[in-house]
Amino acid sequence: MVKVSSNNPWIFWRVAGLSAAILLFQITLTRLFSVSQFYHFAFLIISMAMLGYAVSGVILAFLRHIHPQRAFNFFGWLSFGCAFSFFAAYLSLNYLPFDSFSIIWDPKQVFLFAFNYVMLTIPFTLGGLAIGILLETLPSQTESFYAMNFIGAGLGSLAGLGLPVLVGGEGAVLFCCLLAGLCAFPLSEITLRVKFHKFRLHHAFNTILLIFLMGNAAELVLRSQASSWLQFLNLRISPYKGLSYTLQYPDAQILSQRWNAFSRIDVVRSANIRSLPGLSIQYQQLPPPQDGLFIDGDDLSPIVRDTSDLGFTAFLPTALAFQLRPHAKVLIVEPNGGLDILVAIGQGASQVIAVENNPLIVQAAYPIYHLPNVQISTEDQRSYFYKSTEKYDVILLSLSSTFHPVRSGAYSLAEDYRTTLESFHDLLLHLKPNGILIFNRWLQKPPSESLRAFALAVTALEQMGLSPAERLIALRSYAMATILVKLEPFSMAELNTIHQFAGARSLDFISSPDLSLADVNRYNVLTQPVYTQTFQAILDRNTRSAFYHSYPYDVRPPTDDHPFFAHYFKWSQIPQALTELGKTWQPFGGAGLLAVVGLLLFVLILGGGLVGITFWKSQIRQLGQPLTKLSMDMVLYFAAIGFGYMLIELPLIQRFQLYLIHPAYSLAIVLFTLLISSGIGSNLSKKVRLDRALLLLSIWWMLASFGLKPFFQTTLGCPLTIRAGLMAAVVAPGGFLMGCAFPGGIYFYAIKPGGENQLPLIWAINGAASVVASITAMLLALTWGFNSVLRLGALCYGCAFITVWLKGKWIGSRQLTAQI
């Protein structure tokens, strides 16, 4: 056996470094995709990473037996390739992006999508191959290599929180290149023979690598100082995003651009920026000069430059709440550019508390957030409510997005924990007895966004034992619905005030306790009063279930377990989506979710093909040896733990977004905890009985799927650092046991005569299962919720336990503990 400590003392640290670079690149890509394209493409990164690992298993099967020392050399050269492939993959994403809006009828976009998919898979293939070669060559040290792989990946995920703040998203990519390059340097000797001449190529490549590393380091220093000499690396934004549209104005200029761990904030100035959502058509003056604030390149939020004259605020629909509650104590949830703060100040609020969880937004709109009588709380809405016992006259839930077509599917994968039943319950509990909750939502046809928001309010009131018909009012302008909610019934005086306000600002009624047909279609005339008809169907408790079932879109209220407010897709829409495929100007022809289903079918075929090729090659790998019979229980085992890991990892990341405030925090901290604990479990796997570890693992995550909701309810008010520690206490034990599964399976199935030839097949099976599971998890979450996916992951580990337990009974229990 090769003594790694004497032959290559740094190999374990190099494995950790390369793993950190790969995971950091994966996290950075999710942020870059969110900014350059749309959030719903970010989940593809995980499938690309898993596909790369599966492909590396196939390549391993085609390599002849490698001497351990040559394996170390291969590791260096593959790290070298990984560093440059990070750079090339980012450039391909930046300069050759695919256009999802025209992909159905433009064959070139299909090619660009495939090209981007392949380019972004290559770094993960090279990284998986580098580590896979070490695992195959030195199987007796599987637990050590696998542990350092996990630990390095965990540290890489944590780095994803700090690096964008220091050097931006583009700089984080350069850091990945730098780290992978350092793991490769110096490259081992390689000689090219041409006739009678020898050329030692490693000297030239070491020089290239050294220049590459120095250039990356220099650019990182410059980017840390808000400068750059490689401007071509700056991220290019999709032409369909709001920032791209705004920058087309001749006078548009970016005033500031800043990154943090979970967002990029741009502030743009142009005389043409005019955004006052819901402004009454009765307002006859010019809108005040504004700057535009963009979050991840989209969702324009106005920053009013001159706050000396706030007369325009009386013509915005949210001013109604202050007509009803003059001198109110008001809480505004995520006011973004601060427009709703100006409405509250302009309409006479006595005290304004602004809960905005992004400090970069507060800095961008500093003058507004620091007006007199305004208090700032830079934390998440949900955690604020869990800690606060204050009651308010008015709670204003700010409009957080621009208008999006209901059928685009472009935002259906985005979680929104502000608009769930649990969130609305918190909002209502913090109202004074006669307080008002008010919020705006965009109008679409058929009704969708506004209808789901109304359904949220109706259901939240009913869960509190209150009658919604007397406590809800909905108004509409030509593009906006405004909904008011009370804990007590609206009085006649309040109804009169609302009617006067609506008449003066040309607002129609959708729903009210004293609804009259004359008020429904007076100013913004529709051929059919579809909004009133659908809203009334939601109010009618007797027919509501039938309405939900028959309505063409899913408008049921979201929950914390299923927080997809913008996901309106029903499987019954498939015939219509297929009919319109290629005929509508929307992402993937308006069939965004079907594109995910198509991708799932694609990776199923691809994964099966990769496993089949690997098995075929493993049979003929060494001439003269008898063919190895395929062990179906081995296939089932490694497929089960591949599925199980992803079906647990992904819902944990998404479920803890609520608990850890931001998706980026959840992604980094959950991955860090899960990977570090899995690394420790891998390193100690020889001391753990495999069957017992799998059984405990299945039970642990099954219990967690039922216990997370009360766990959140009990501890969500704690400070973020304490919550991160409590999260680790939940995730780490399961992560430790998950880390035992793969090396334990290696010892159980492969450490035996002839078993070494199965290692590439094992790598391919596990990787292919992970690819399929990464997409399956999202589809299942959209359909059944995160807890169901988590339980399915627990069942996968239960399946692995049964496989090992049955085989262990047949061969005896000695092999169940991985002692060699």
Side-chain angles (χ1 to χ4, degrees), residues 365-382:
Y366 184 91
I368 295 177
Y369 279 88
H370 289 81
L371 286 170
N373 299 326
V374 176
Q375 300 176 20
I376 310 167
S377 178
T378 52
E379 61 182 313
D380 176 66
Q381 162 207 338
R382 300 290 294 275

mmCIF file with all atom_site columns, all heavy atoms in Angstrom, residues 365-382:
data_model
loop_
_atom_site.group_PDB
_atom_site.id
_atom_site.type_symbol
_atom_site.label_atom_id
_atom_site.label_alt_id
_atom_site.label_comp_id
_atom_site.label_asym_id
_atom_site.label_entity_id
_atom_site.label_seq_id
_atom_site.pdbx_PDB_ins_code
_atom_site.Cartn_x
_atom_site.Cartn_y
_atom_site.Cartn_z
_atom_site.occupancy
_atom_site.B_iso_or_equiv
_atom_site.pdbx_formal_charge
_atom_site.auth_seq_id
_atom_site.auth_comp_id
_atom_site.auth_asym_id
_atom_site.auth_atom_id
_atom_site.pdbx_PDB_model_num
ATOM 1   N N   . ALA A 1 365 ? -30.893 53.743 -0.684 1.00 0.00 ? 365 ALA A N   1
ATOM 2   C CA  . ALA A 1 365 ? -31.961 54.734 -0.496 1.00 0.00 ? 365 ALA A CA  1
ATOM 3   C C   . ALA A 1 365 ? -31.802 55.415 0.862  1.00 0.00 ? 365 ALA A C   1
ATOM 4   O O   . ALA A 1 365 ? -32.791 55.674 1.566  1.00 0.00 ? 365 ALA A O   1
ATOM 5   C CB  . ALA A 1 365 ? -33.323 54.054 -0.610 1.00 0.00 ? 365 ALA A CB  1
ATOM 6   N N   . TYR A 1 366 ? -30.590 55.746 1.210  1.00 0.00 ? 366 TYR A N   1
ATOM 7   C CA  . TYR A 1 366 ? -30.270 56.276 2.546  1.00 0.00 ? 366 TYR A CA  1
ATOM 8   C C   . TYR A 1 366 ? -31.118 57.475 2.943  1.00 0.00 ? 366 TYR A C   1
ATOM 9   O O   . TYR A 1 366 ? -31.650 57.518 4.061  1.00 0.00 ? 366 TYR A O   1
ATOM 10  C CB  . TYR A 1 366 ? -28.775 56.628 2.593  1.00 0.00 ? 366 TYR A CB  1
ATOM 11  C CG  . TYR A 1 366 ? -28.296 57.085 3.949  1.00 0.00 ? 366 TYR A CG  1
ATOM 12  C CD1 . TYR A 1 366 ? -27.790 56.174 4.872  1.00 0.00 ? 366 TYR A CD1 1
ATOM 13  C CD2 . TYR A 1 366 ? -28.344 58.433 4.315  1.00 0.00 ? 366 TYR A CD2 1
ATOM 14  C CE1 . TYR A 1 366 ? -27.349 56.590 6.115  1.00 0.00 ? 366 TYR A CE1 1
ATOM 15  C CE2 . TYR A 1 366 ? -27.918 58.861 5.556  1.00 0.00 ? 366 TYR A CE2 1
ATOM 16  C CZ  . TYR A 1 366 ? -27.420 57.948 6.456  1.00 0.00 ? 366 TYR A CZ  1
ATOM 17  O OH  . TYR A 1 366 ? -26.984 58.360 7.689  1.00 0.00 ? 366 TYR A OH  1
ATOM 18  N N   . PRO A 1 367 ? -31.286 58.503 2.081  1.00 0.00 ? 367 PRO A N   1
ATOM 19  C CA  . PRO A 1 367 ? -32.056 59.681 2.516  1.00 0.00 ? 367 PRO A CA  1
ATOM 20  C C   . PRO A 1 367 ? -33.490 59.354 2.917  1.00 0.00 ? 367 PRO A C   1
ATOM 21  O O   . PRO A 1 367 ? -34.033 59.974 3.842  1.00 0.00 ? 367 PRO A O   1
ATOM 22  C CB  . PRO A 1 367 ? -32.018 60.599 1.280  1.00 0.00 ? 367 PRO A CB  1
ATOM 23  C CG  . PRO A 1 367 ? -30.814 60.165 0.523  1.00 0.00 ? 367 PRO A CG  1
ATOM 24  C CD  . PRO A 1 367 ? -30.745 58.681 0.722  1.00 0.00 ? 367 PRO A CD  1
ATOM 25  N N   . ILE A 1 368 ? -34.117 58.404 2.231  1.00 0.00 ? 368 ILE A N   1
ATOM 26  C CA  . ILE A 1 368 ? -35.509 58.069 2.546  1.00 0.00 ? 368 ILE A CA  1
ATOM 27  C C   . ILE A 1 368 ? -35.594 57.288 3.855  1.00 0.00 ? 368 ILE A C   1
ATOM 28  O O   . ILE A 1 368 ? -36.447 57.569 4.713  1.00 0.00 ? 368 ILE A O   1
ATOM 29  C CB  . ILE A 1 368 ? -36.130 57.261 1.386  1.00 0.00 ? 368 ILE A CB  1
ATOM 30  C CG1 . ILE A 1 368 ? -36.220 58.129 0.128  1.00 0.00 ? 368 ILE A CG1 1
ATOM 31  C CG2 . ILE A 1 368 ? -37.515 56.732 1.773  1.00 0.00 ? 368 ILE A CG2 1
ATOM 32  C CD1 . ILE A 1 368 ? -36.741 57.406 -1.094 1.00 0.00 ? 368 ILE A CD1 1
ATOM 33  N N   . TYR A 1 369 ? -34.708 56.324 4.043  1.00 0.00 ? 369 TYR A N   1
ATOM 34  C CA  . TYR A 1 369 ? -34.742 55.506 5.253  1.00 0.00 ? 369 TYR A CA  1
ATOM 35  C C   . TYR A 1 369 ? -34.355 56.300 6.506  1.00 0.00 ? 369 TYR A C   1
ATOM 36  O O   . TYR A 1 369 ? -34.582 55.829 7.625  1.00 0.00 ? 369 TYR A O   1
ATOM 37  C CB  . TYR A 1 369 ? -33.824 54.296 5.105  1.00 0.00 ? 369 TYR A CB  1
ATOM 38  C CG  . TYR A 1 369 ? -34.444 53.155 4.322  1.00 0.00 ? 369 TYR A CG  1
ATOM 39  C CD1 . TYR A 1 369 ? -34.338 53.100 2.931  1.00 0.00 ? 369 TYR A CD1 1
ATOM 40  C CD2 . TYR A 1 369 ? -35.142 52.140 4.955  1.00 0.00 ? 369 TYR A CD2 1
ATOM 41  C CE1 . TYR A 1 369 ? -34.904 52.064 2.208  1.00 0.00 ? 369 TYR A CE1 1
ATOM 42  C CE2 . TYR A 1 369 ? -35.716 51.098 4.247  1.00 0.00 ? 369 TYR A CE2 1
ATOM 43  C CZ  . TYR A 1 369 ? -35.592 51.066 2.871  1.00 0.00 ? 369 TYR A CZ  1
ATOM 44  O OH  . TYR A 1 369 ? -36.157 50.032 2.157  1.00 0.00 ? 369 TYR A OH  1
ATOM 45  N N   . HIS A 1 370 ? -33.760 57.471 6.310  1.00 0.00 ? 370 HIS A N   1
ATOM 46  C CA  . HIS A 1 370 ? -33.339 58.273 7.463  1.00 0.00 ? 370 HIS A CA  1
ATOM 47  C C   . HIS A 1 370 ? -34.140 59.568 7.586  1.00 0.00 ? 370 HIS A C   1
ATOM 48  O O   . HIS A 1 370 ? -33.674 60.541 8.189  1.00 0.00 ? 370 HIS A O   1
ATOM 49  C CB  . HIS A 1 370 ? -31.840 58.569 7.364  1.00 0.00 ? 370 HIS A CB  1
ATOM 50  C CG  . HIS A 1 370 ? -30.992 57.362 7.606  1.00 0.00 ? 370 HIS A CG  1
ATOM 51  N ND1 . HIS A 1 370 ? -30.754 56.423 6.617  1.00 0.00 ? 370 HIS A ND1 1
ATOM 52  C CD2 . HIS A 1 370 ? -30.357 56.903 8.715  1.00 0.00 ? 370 HIS A CD2 1
ATOM 53  C CE1 . HIS A 1 370 ? -29.995 55.460 7.106  1.00 0.00 ? 370 HIS A CE1 1
ATOM 54  N NE2 . HIS A 1 370 ? -29.739 55.721 8.363  1.00 0.00 ? 370 HIS A NE2 1
ATOM 55  N N   . LEU A 1 371 ? -35.357 59.570 7.033  1.00 0.00 ? 371 LEU A N   1
ATOM 56  C CA  . LEU A 1 371 ? -36.268 60.686 7.251  1.00 0.00 ? 371 LEU A CA  1
ATOM 57  C C   . LEU A 1 371 ? -36.727 60.714 8.715  1.00 0.00 ? 371 LEU A C   1
ATOM 58  O O   . LEU A 1 371 ? -36.680 59.681 9.411  1.00 0.00 ? 371 LEU A O   1
ATOM 59  C CB  . LEU A 1 371 ? -37.479 60.555 6.332  1.00 0.00 ? 371 LEU A CB  1
ATOM 60  C CG  . LEU A 1 371 ? -37.267 60.863 4.845  1.00 0.00 ? 371 LEU A CG  1
ATOM 61  C CD1 . LEU A 1 371 ? -38.490 60.455 4.043  1.00 0.00 ? 371 LEU A CD1 1
ATOM 62  C CD2 . LEU A 1 371 ? -36.956 62.335 4.635  1.00 0.00 ? 371 LEU A CD2 1
ATOM 63  N N   . PRO A 1 372 ? -37.179 61.875 9.204  1.00 0.00 ? 372 PRO A N   1
ATOM 64  C CA  . PRO A 1 372 ? -37.690 61.934 10.582 1.00 0.00 ? 372 PRO A CA  1
ATOM 65  C C   . PRO A 1 372 ? -38.850 60.954 10.792 1.00 0.00 ? 372 PRO A C   1
ATOM 66  O O   . PRO A 1 372 ? -39.651 60.697 9.888  1.00 0.00 ? 372 PRO A O   1
ATOM 67  C CB  . PRO A 1 372 ? -38.177 63.395 10.710 1.00 0.00 ? 372 PRO A CB  1
ATOM 68  C CG  . PRO A 1 372 ? -37.377 64.150 9.697  1.00 0.00 ? 372 PRO A CG  1
ATOM 69  C CD  . PRO A 1 372 ? -37.168 63.198 8.554  1.00 0.00 ? 372 PRO A CD  1
ATOM 70  N N   . ASN A 1 373 ? -38.917 60.396 11.983 1.00 0.00 ? 373 ASN A N   1
ATOM 71  C CA  . ASN A 1 373 ? -39.971 59.464 12.415 1.00 0.00 ? 373 ASN A CA  1
ATOM 72  C C   . ASN A 1 373 ? -39.865 58.087 11.747 1.00 0.00 ? 373 ASN A C   1
ATOM 73  O O   . ASN A 1 373 ? -40.804 57.300 11.844 1.00 0.00 ? 373 ASN A O   1
ATOM 74  C CB  . ASN A 1 373 ? -41.367 60.037 12.152 1.00 0.00 ? 373 ASN A CB  1
ATOM 75  C CG  . ASN A 1 373 ? -41.620 61.329 12.905 1.00 0.00 ? 373 ASN A CG  1
ATOM 76  O OD1 . ASN A 1 373 ? -41.123 61.512 14.022 1.00 0.00 ? 373 ASN A OD1 1
ATOM 77  N ND2 . ASN A 1 373 ? -42.365 62.243 12.297 1.00 0.00 ? 373 ASN A ND2 1
ATOM 78  N N   . VAL A 1 374 ? -38.757 57.813 11.056 1.00 0.00 ? 374 VAL A N   1
ATOM 79  C CA  . VAL A 1 374 ? -38.563 56.504 10.428 1.00 0.00 ? 374 VAL A CA  1
ATOM 80  C C   . VAL A 1 374 ? -37.527 55.710 11.223 1.00 0.00 ? 374 VAL A C   1
ATOM 81  O O   . VAL A 1 374 ? -36.426 56.180 11.472 1.00 0.00 ? 374 VAL A O   1
ATOM 82  C CB  . VAL A 1 374 ? -38.103 56.645 8.962  1.00 0.00 ? 374 VAL A CB  1
ATOM 83  C CG1 . VAL A 1 374 ? -37.825 55.262 8.361  1.00 0.00 ? 374 VAL A CG1 1
ATOM 84  C CG2 . VAL A 1 374 ? -39.151 57.379 8.142  1.00 0.00 ? 374 VAL A CG2 1
ATOM 85  N N   . GLN A 1 375 ? -37.910 54.516 11.622 1.00 0.00 ? 375 GLN A N   1
ATOM 86  C CA  . GLN A 1 375 ? -36.995 53.590 12.294 1.00 0.00 ? 375 GLN A CA  1
ATOM 87  C C   . GLN A 1 375 ? -36.714 52.418 11.354 1.00 0.00 ? 375 GLN A C   1
ATOM 88  O O   . GLN A 1 375 ? -37.610 51.958 10.654 1.00 0.00 ? 375 GLN A O   1
ATOM 89  C CB  . GLN A 1 375 ? -37.596 53.075 13.602 1.00 0.00 ? 375 GLN A CB  1
ATOM 90  C CG  . GLN A 1 375 ? -37.920 54.149 14.615 1.00 0.00 ? 375 GLN A CG  1
ATOM 91  C CD  . GLN A 1 375 ? -38.612 53.589 15.848 1.00 0.00 ? 375 GLN A CD  1
ATOM 92  O OE1 . GLN A 1 375 ? -38.531 52.393 16.137 1.00 0.00 ? 375 GLN A OE1 1
ATOM 93  N NE2 . GLN A 1 375 ? -39.316 54.451 16.571 1.00 0.00 ? 375 GLN A NE2 1
ATOM 94  N N   . ILE A 1 376 ? -35.475 51.931 11.367 1.00 0.00 ? 376 ILE A N   1
ATOM 95  C CA  . ILE A 1 376 ? -35.057 50.865 10.451 1.00 0.00 ? 376 ILE A CA  1
ATOM 96  C C   . ILE A 1 376 ? -34.762 49.605 11.243 1.00 0.00 ? 376 ILE A C   1
ATOM 97  O O   . ILE A 1 376 ? -34.093 49.654 12.292 1.00 0.00 ? 376 ILE A O   1
ATOM 98  C CB  . ILE A 1 376 ? -33.798 51.276 9.660  1.00 0.00 ? 376 ILE A CB  1
ATOM 99  C CG1 . ILE A 1 376 ? -33.978 52.657 9.030  1.00 0.00 ? 376 ILE A CG1 1
ATOM 100 C CG2 . ILE A 1 376 ? -33.473 50.247 8.597  1.00 0.00 ? 376 ILE A CG2 1
ATOM 101 C CD1 . ILE A 1 376 ? -32.693 53.254 8.518  1.00 0.00 ? 376 ILE A CD1 1
ATOM 102 N N   . SER A 1 377 ? -35.230 48.498 10.716 1.00 0.00 ? 377 SER A N   1
ATOM 103 C CA  . SER A 1 377 ? -34.858 47.190 11.260 1.00 0.00 ? 377 SER A CA  1
ATOM 104 C C   . SER A 1 377 ? -34.343 46.344 10.098 1.00 0.00 ? 377 SER A C   1
ATOM 105 O O   . SER A 1 377 ? -35.119 45.974 9.210  1.00 0.00 ? 377 SER A O   1
ATOM 106 C CB  . SER A 1 377 ? -36.068 46.510 11.919 1.00 0.00 ? 377 SER A CB  1
ATOM 107 O OG  . SER A 1 377 ? -35.722 45.222 12.397 1.00 0.00 ? 377 SER A OG  1
ATOM 108 N N   . THR A 1 378 ? -33.052 46.067 10.095 1.00 0.00 ? 378 THR A N   1
ATOM 109 C CA  . THR A 1 378 ? -32.455 45.307 8.987  1.00 0.00 ? 378 THR A CA  1
ATOM 110 C C   . THR A 1 378 ? -32.455 43.817 9.328  1.00 0.00 ? 378 THR A C   1
ATOM 111 O O   . THR A 1 378 ? -31.413 43.234 9.642  1.00 0.00 ? 378 THR A O   1
ATOM 112 C CB  . THR A 1 378 ? -31.025 45.789 8.689  1.00 0.00 ? 378 THR A CB  1
ATOM 113 O OG1 . THR A 1 378 ? -30.278 45.795 9.905  1.00 0.00 ? 378 THR A OG1 1
ATOM 114 C CG2 . THR A 1 378 ? -31.014 47.165 8.083  1.00 0.00 ? 378 THR A CG2 1
ATOM 115 N N   . GLU A 1 379 ? -33.609 43.244 9.302  1.00 0.00 ? 379 GLU A N   1
ATOM 116 C CA  . GLU A 1 379 ? -33.739 41.808 9.518  1.00 0.00 ? 379 GLU A CA  1
ATOM 117 C C   . GLU A 1 379 ? -34.938 41.295 8.743  1.00 0.00 ? 379 GLU A C   1
ATOM 118 O O   . GLU A 1 379 ? -35.724 42.051 8.178  1.00 0.00 ? 379 GLU A O   1
ATOM 119 C CB  . GLU A 1 379 ? -33.848 41.465 10.995 1.00 0.00 ? 379 GLU A CB  1
ATOM 120 C CG  . GLU A 1 379 ? -35.041 42.074 11.701 1.00 0.00 ? 379 GLU A CG  1
ATOM 121 C CD  . GLU A 1 379 ? -35.060 41.735 13.183 1.00 0.00 ? 379 GLU A CD  1
ATOM 122 O OE1 . GLU A 1 379 ? -34.857 40.552 13.516 1.00 0.00 ? 379 GLU A OE1 1
ATOM 123 O OE2 . GLU A 1 379 ? -35.263 42.653 13.998 1.00 0.00 ? 379 GLU A OE2 1
ATOM 124 N N   . ASP A 1 380 ? -35.066 39.993 8.723  1.00 0.00 ? 380 ASP A N   1
ATOM 125 C CA  . ASP A 1 380 ? -36.150 39.354 7.993  1.00 0.00 ? 380 ASP A CA  1
ATOM 126 C C   . ASP A 1 380 ? -37.480 39.603 8.677  1.00 0.00 ? 380 ASP A C   1
ATOM 127 O O   . ASP A 1 380 ? -37.564 39.648 9.916  1.00 0.00 ? 380 ASP A O   1
ATOM 128 C CB  . ASP A 1 380 ? -35.874 37.856 7.890  1.00 0.00 ? 380 ASP A CB  1
ATOM 129 C CG  . ASP A 1 380 ? -37.004 37.100 7.239  1.00 0.00 ? 380 ASP A CG  1
ATOM 130 O OD1 . ASP A 1 380 ? -37.258 37.321 6.050  1.00 0.00 ? 380 ASP A OD1 1
ATOM 131 O OD2 . ASP A 1 380 ? -37.642 36.286 7.941  1.00 0.00 ? 380 ASP A OD2 1
ATOM 132 N N   . GLN A 1 381 ? -38.528 39.754 7.863  1.00 0.00 ? 381 GLN A N   1
ATOM 133 C CA  . GLN A 1 381 ? -39.865 39.998 8.383  1.00 0.00 ? 381 GLN A CA  1
ATOM 134 C C   . GLN A 1 381 ? -40.310 38.943 9.382  1.00 0.00 ? 381 GLN A C   1
ATOM 135 O O   . GLN A 1 381 ? -40.827 39.251 10.462 1.00 0.00 ? 381 GLN A O   1
ATOM 136 C CB  . GLN A 1 381 ? -40.853 40.044 7.220  1.00 0.00 ? 381 GLN A CB  1
ATOM 137 C CG  . GLN A 1 381 ? -42.307 39.855 7.604  1.00 0.00 ? 381 GLN A CG  1
ATOM 138 C CD  . GLN A 1 381 ? -43.130 39.276 6.473  1.00 0.00 ? 381 GLN A CD  1
ATOM 139 O OE1 . GLN A 1 381 ? -42.764 39.383 5.313  1.00 0.00 ? 381 GLN A OE1 1
ATOM 140 N NE2 . GLN A 1 381 ? -44.248 38.641 6.808  1.00 0.00 ? 381 GLN A NE2 1
ATOM 141 N N   . ARG A 1 382 ? -40.084 37.674 9.047  1.00 0.00 ? 382 ARG A N   1
ATOM 142 C CA  . ARG A 1 382 ? -40.593 36.595 9.886  1.00 0.00 ? 382 ARG A CA  1
ATOM 143 C C   . ARG A 1 382 ? -39.906 36.572 11.249 1.00 0.00 ? 382 ARG A C   1
ATOM 144 O O   . ARG A 1 382 ? -40.560 36.415 12.290 1.00 0.00 ? 382 ARG A O   1
ATOM 145 C CB  . ARG A 1 382 ? -40.428 35.252 9.165  1.00 0.00 ? 382 ARG A CB  1
ATOM 146 C CG  . ARG A 1 382 ? -41.160 35.140 7.835  1.00 0.00 ? 382 ARG A CG  1
ATOM 147 C CD  . ARG A 1 382 ? -42.670 35.084 8.017  1.00 0.00 ? 382 ARG A CD  1
ATOM 148 N NE  . ARG A 1 382 ? -43.090 33.881 8.705  1.00 0.00 ? 382 ARG A NE  1
ATOM 149 C CZ  . ARG A 1 382 ? -43.309 32.708 8.108  1.00 0.00 ? 382 ARG A CZ  1
ATOM 150 N NH1 . ARG A 1 382 ? -43.157 32.606 6.799  1.00 0.00 ? 382 ARG A NH1 1
ATOM 151 N NH2 . ARG A 1 382 ? -43.719 31.668 8.799  1.00 0.00 ? 382 ARG A NH2 1
#
